[in-house]
Every structure is written in structure tokens, then in C-alpha cells.
């Protein structure tokens, strides 16, 4: 699932592959920008903000959002793509590398001078250089909804998705239905920032410290299985409110009070 750490790594890979090179192929397979052509311009790099990718090409920015299923893949020119063409939404290539965006939910092309308008609504990002922990804690704590929903709202804090919300709340012993105003949001977000940064350079995201398949989470995806800490059966339910969609939540009734 693309969460903030996945998007950050994707931006780093695209930046390393395309940054500083001339664009020799540009193909956006979405109606609004199907005729756009940026071949010949220089790729200045790619940055992540929360779950948003900003690929700067000449004086334009290609904005993409991976949502649940989107991904970017790098190929050598002439190398066979691993995904069928009908799933491809964007192709940005140089003489040496080809970046192929697959199942991307949002694709937009805007002047770089206007890119801030695309992300101005986002809350502080724990992976950004300007991370403001106090402001993030204030926004989450001021949310009138449950803490799980408040964490998922990217206007409060950018980058945490459903897996992070479930795991961080377990680690802090907080029920996902707890009102956000009743939570020590400063401590929760300090843990969140430390955890997402620790996962940046890991090949597989882990919350338990174990990298073996099936042992990386405490509660996420483990409904009806015993808690790794106390043995109580993990529960699941659904929560959601605009602008977030309903998500399946996971918690341990014993460890999270």
C-alpha cells in the first residue's frame, strides 16, 4: 500500500533516474493532458509531499497521486514492461531510463510556479525538511472525529495511511475510536515520525522490527488472529468520514484501552 514512506522512496528513485537529464519521451494517457509534449526539456528532479509526487520538467510539474494501487516503475529503453499498456497512465523517458506510471489515480500537469496550489491543503509532513511536529499535533488534536480518522486526514498530517494509523495506535495503546481530543497527539506523532523515518531505507515496511513476511505488523491485517503481545484475538471494524473513505481498522481489545 503506498503510504508516505513508499511515495518518498518513489520520488527518490525518479529523481535519481531522471534528474538532470533531457526528456526524450513524454506520454500522458489521460484525456485532459493527452496532447502535452515536454520532450526536449530538462528534468529538474522529483519530490514527495505526503502522498503526492511532484516531478519537475522544464517549467512544468507533473503531479501524480498513487492512491491505493498506483506505482512508478523504471525501465531501460527497449526493456519489456511488466504491466499491460492499458494500465499505464504516464511515460516519462530519457535516453537511459524510462519511468512508467501504472494505475495512477491522479495525473495533472501544471506550471511549476503553481504547484503549491496542489498541495497547499496538506498538513505537516514528517518526511519533509520543514516538518512541524507541534502544528501537526495541534491539527490532529483539534479534530472532532476519532483519532484513527484524524490521523488519516491529510489536512492534519500528511503521509500516514491506514496501516500506519492502525500500528501507531496499537503501539501507543489507543483504541481507534477514541476521540482525537482525548489523545496525547504530540507523543503519538513523535512516534509516527520516528517510525516512518525508520522505514525509509528498509526494503519492507515493519512495525515489529521483524522483516520476515507475515511478521511485520502488530494488528494491521491480522483480524481474528492472536495479539503478538498478549494473545487476545485482534478485532476489526470500519471507520471513515469525509474527506477520507471508510477504512478497515484493527486493534487489540486488551492492549488498546
Amino acid at each position: 500500500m503506498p503510504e508516505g514512506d513508499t511515495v518518498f522512496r518513489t520520488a527518490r528513485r525518479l529523481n535519481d533516474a531522471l534528474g538532470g537529464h533531457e526528456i526524450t519521451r513524454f506520454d500522458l494517457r489521460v484525456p485532459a493532458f493527452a496532447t502535452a509534449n515536454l520532450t526536449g526539456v530538462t528534468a529538474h528532479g522529483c519530490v514527495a509531499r505526503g502522498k503526492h509526487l511532484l516531478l519537475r520538467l522544464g517549467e512544468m510539474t507533473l503531479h501524480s497521486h498513487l492512491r491505493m494501487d498506483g506505482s512508478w516503475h523504471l525501465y531501460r529503453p527497449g526493456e519489456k514492461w511488466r504491466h499491460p499498456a492499458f494500465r499505464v497512465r504516464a511515460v516519462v523517458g530519457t535516453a537511459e531510463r524510462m519511468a512508467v506510471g501504472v494505475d495512477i489515480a491522479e495525473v495533472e500537469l501544471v506550471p511549476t510556479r503553481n504547484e503549491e496550489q496542489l498541495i497547499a491543503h496538506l498538513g505537516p509532513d514528517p518526511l519533509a525538511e520543514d516538518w512541524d511536529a507541534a502544528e501537526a499535533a495541534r491539527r490532529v488534536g483539534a479534530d472532532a472525529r476519532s483519532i484513527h480518522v484524524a490521523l488519516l486526514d491529510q489536512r492534519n498530517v500528511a503521509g500516514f495511511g491506514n496501516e500506519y494509523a492502525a500500528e501507531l495506535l496499537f503501539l501507543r495503546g489507543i483504541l481507534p475510536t477514541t476521540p482525537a481530543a482525548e489523545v496525547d497527539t504530540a507523543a503519538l506523532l513523535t512516534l509516527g515520525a520516528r517510525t516512518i523515518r525508520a522505514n525509509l531505507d528498509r526494503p519492507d515496511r515493519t512495525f515489529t522490527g521483524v522483516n520476515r513476511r507475515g511478521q511485520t505488523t502488530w494488528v494491521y491485517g491480522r483480524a481474528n488472529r492472536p495479539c503478538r503481545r498478549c494473545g487476545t484475538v485482534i478485532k476489526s471494524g470500519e471507520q471513515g468520514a469525509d474527506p477520507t473513505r471508510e477504512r478497515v481498522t484493527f486493534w487489540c481489545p486488551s492492549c488498546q484501552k
Side-chain angles (χ1 to χ4, degrees), residues 23-243:
I23 299 304
T24 58
R25 181 174 177 181
F26 189 80
D27 180 12
L28 299 185
R29 301 178 181 181
V30 293
F33 305 104
T35 60
N37 183 9
L38 294 184
T39 57
V41 307
T42 298
H44 301 302
C46 186
V47 297
R49 183 70 177 186
K51 298 185 179 184
H52 298 255
L53 283 166
L54 303 171
L55 178 57
R56 293 159 181 161
L57 308 167
E59 297 181 355
M60 304 296 286
T61 293
L62 176 60
H63 165 246
S64 59
H65 194 299
L66 305 182
R67 295 291 182 186
M68 296 291 288
D69 303 311
S71 57
W72 280 91
H73 303 265
L74 291 171
Y75 297 94
R76 297 291 180 185
E79 184 179 357
K80 184 178 180 180
W81 298 351
R82 294 188 297 274
H83 299 86
F86 72 85
R87 293 174 56 189
V88 174
R89 296 292 177 267
V91 182
V92 182
T94 69
E96 297 182 355
R97 303 303 297 273
M98 197 73 64
V100 179
V102 177
D103 294 332
I104 298 174
E106 294 181 27
V107 178
E108 297 176 274
L109 191 63
V110 300
T112 299
R113 65 178 181 274
N114 297 334
E115 70 177 26
E116 185 63 27
Q117 298 175 11
L118 300 172
I119 56 175
H121 66 287
L122 296 177
D125 181 348
L127 297 177
E129 293 182 359
D130 62 351
W131 164 239
D132 189 337
E135 175 61 13
R138 185 196 68 78
R139 292 191 187 199
V140 174
D143 198 307
R145 300 168 297 179
S146 72
I147 186 59
H148 187 93
V149 174
L151 270 180
L152 292 182
D153 193 330
Q154 302 297 293
R155 299 172 301 182
N156 293 332
V157 58
F160 295 130
N162 202 37
E163 184 174 0
Y164 268 97
E167 291 295 295
L168 293 176
L169 293 176
F170 172 84
L171 290 169
R172 288 291 301 166
I174 302 167
L175 277 173
T177 52
T178 304
E182 298 178 10
V183 173
D184 183 346
T185 55
L188 177 64
L189 290 171
T190 295
L191 174 64
R194 188 168 72 244
T195 303
I196 199 169
R197 291 170 186 169
N199 275 321
L200 271 184
D201 295 314
R202 290 171 173 158
D204 296 299
R205 183 186 304 138
T206 181
F207 297 90
T208 62
V210 179
N211 292 319
R212 290 189 291 275
R213 185 178 180 85
Q215 299 183 36
T216 59
T217 63
W218 292 98
V219 292
Y220 182 79
R222 302 193 67 247
N224 301 316
R225 301 177 66 184
C227 175
R228 300 187 194 278
R229 181 179 289 167
C230 72
T232 302
V233 175
I234 301 298
K235 301 291 185 181
S236 67
E238 289 188 353
Q239 283 195 67
D242 290 337

Side-chain angles (χ1 to χ4, degrees), residues 6-26:
T6 302
V7 178
F8 188 95
R9 284 193 298 273
T10 299
R12 187 165 56 188
R13 289 171 51 241
L14 291 175
N15 187 73
D16 291 345
L18 305 178
H21 296 281
E22 178 183 338
I23 299 304
T24 58
R25 181 174 177 181
F26 189 80

